[in-house]
Amino acid sequence: MFGRRRSGSHRQGRGDRSVEAPGPETADDLDPAAASADGPELGRGPYDAGDSYPDIPRVDLGSLLVPVTPDYEIQLVLAEQQGAWVLVRHGGSELQLQAFAAPRRESVWDEVREGIVGELEGVGGRSEEREGSFGTELLVQVPAQPGQPGAGIVPVRFAGVDGPRWFLRCLFQGPASIDPAAAAPLEAVVREVVVVRGDHPMPPKDLLELRLPAEAQQAMAEQQAKAAEEQNQQPSEFNPFERGPEITETR
């Protein structure tokens, strides 16, 4: 079942809401233990939808097909200012996934990293580049509460993958941002993600659409219809002092 909630992530703005992906209790386990501290051994992705990729349980969220297992919590977060992203939780760590349009034969990760560094400088954060599981990555430290130095800092790790006409941005938070062992299960998820770019033209760095699976949309529509029906069936309170409808006759 899908649910709505306000997220407490420091990267989300007002009006953000999220919906949980279908419960993975019926999906086969992806065996996260196959991922080690030296790097994920599961999958060779992220994959393009036109590629040949392993047939494992994935939830269809539009531009991203994300693997599901009982050990992971998957949500679709809808933010007013930053668009939508997929949030994957595992063992106290979080992974945020967003896919963007990109030129066919050009990398955009270098430019995206420069933009992230520029934003960090504006809020008093620090960053450093390093080689990680997905090539050049960005390890950053951001203020827990911008404008309040005493609130401490939060480590965040950015990774990027350039694909054919798409770019996948990965953000690791919690222990996974600094601990390879904690990051390995989430990196394994990235390795099994499938990006659905589509054939329609899009400007580079435009966010690819994320949406709920059809069954989830139907379930939410049924819930809303049921709630509206129950509301209509509730008797209204009679107020003898309330003015009723009036008709004015003009001659």
Side-chain angles (χ1 to χ4, degrees):
M1 187 59 63
F2 284 67
R4 295 176 181 267
R5 68 166 181 84
R6 288 190 182 272
S7 172
S9 170
H10 68 276
R11 291 182 54 79
Q12 296 174 359
R14 294 182 180 179
D16 299 356
R17 65 188 189 275
S18 68
V19 288
E20 297 182 0
E25 60 272 10
T26 59
D28 296 334
D29 195 341
L30 290 182
D31 189 14
S36 68
D38 295 329
E41 298 296 330
L42 180 62
R44 297 180 180 273
Y47 301 96
D48 180 76
D51 295 339
S52 175
Y53 49 84
D55 183 13
I56 62 172
R58 295 180 176 87
V59 57
D60 184 350
L61 297 175
S63 60
L64 293 176
L65 309 182
V66 182
V68 293
T69 82
D71 298 323
Y72 295 82
E73 177 186 352
I74 302 175
Q75 295 179 328
L76 177 58
V77 180
L78 308 175
E80 292 180 351
Q81 297 180 349
Q82 297 173 323
W85 64 81
V86 176
L87 178 65
V88 183
R89 287 196 178 97
H90 180 272
S93 296
E94 294 184 353
L95 165 67
Q96 294 183 13
L97 296 170
Q98 284 182 304
F100 302 84
R104 183 179 298 275
R105 295 181 178 84
E106 296 181 18
S107 170
V108 300
W109 179 218
D110 292 342
E111 183 179 352
V112 170
R113 287 202 313 276
E114 292 179 2
I116 294 173
V117 172
E119 291 181 5
L120 288 172
E121 293 176 350
V123 298
R126 301 189 300 271
S127 65
E128 64 172 306
E129 291 189 354
R130 69 176 187 182
E131 289 302 307
S133 302
F134 301 97
T136 303
E137 300 180 352
L138 199 61
L139 183 61
V140 308
Q141 294 180 335
V142 297
Q145 298 182 17
Q148 300 184 20
I153 59 174
V154 177
V156 177
R157 170 188 162 205
F158 286 92
V161 180
D162 289 298
R165 300 177 64 234
W166 53 259
F167 166 74
L168 181 66
R169 191 182 74 170
C170 314
L171 185 155
F172 298 85
Q173 297 185 92
S177 63
I178 55 177
D179 181 5
L186 291 176
E187 290 179 351
V189 171
V190 177
R191 296 291 187 187
E192 289 292 358
V193 165
V194 179
V195 180
V196 184
R197 166 61 176 83
D199 297 328
H200 53 286
M202 292 183 64
K205 294 190 289 186
D206 268 17
L207 186 64
L208 300 184
E209 180 185 8
L210 289 169
R211 61 177 182 271
L212 297 177
E215 60 271 19
Q217 295 182 29
Q218 181 179 356
M220 291 184 65
E222 292 175 354
Q223 288 180 355
Q224 293 173 354
K226 182 178 180 181
E229 181 180 357
E230 292 176 351
Q231 184 176 4
N232 292 334
Q233 291 177 353
Q234 292 179 356
S236 59
E237 296 182 0
F238 174 69
N239 184 354
F241 301 103
E242 183 179 3
R243 298 180 62 179
E246 299 178 352
I247 300 176
T248 302
E249 181 180 0
T250 302
R251 300 191 178 195

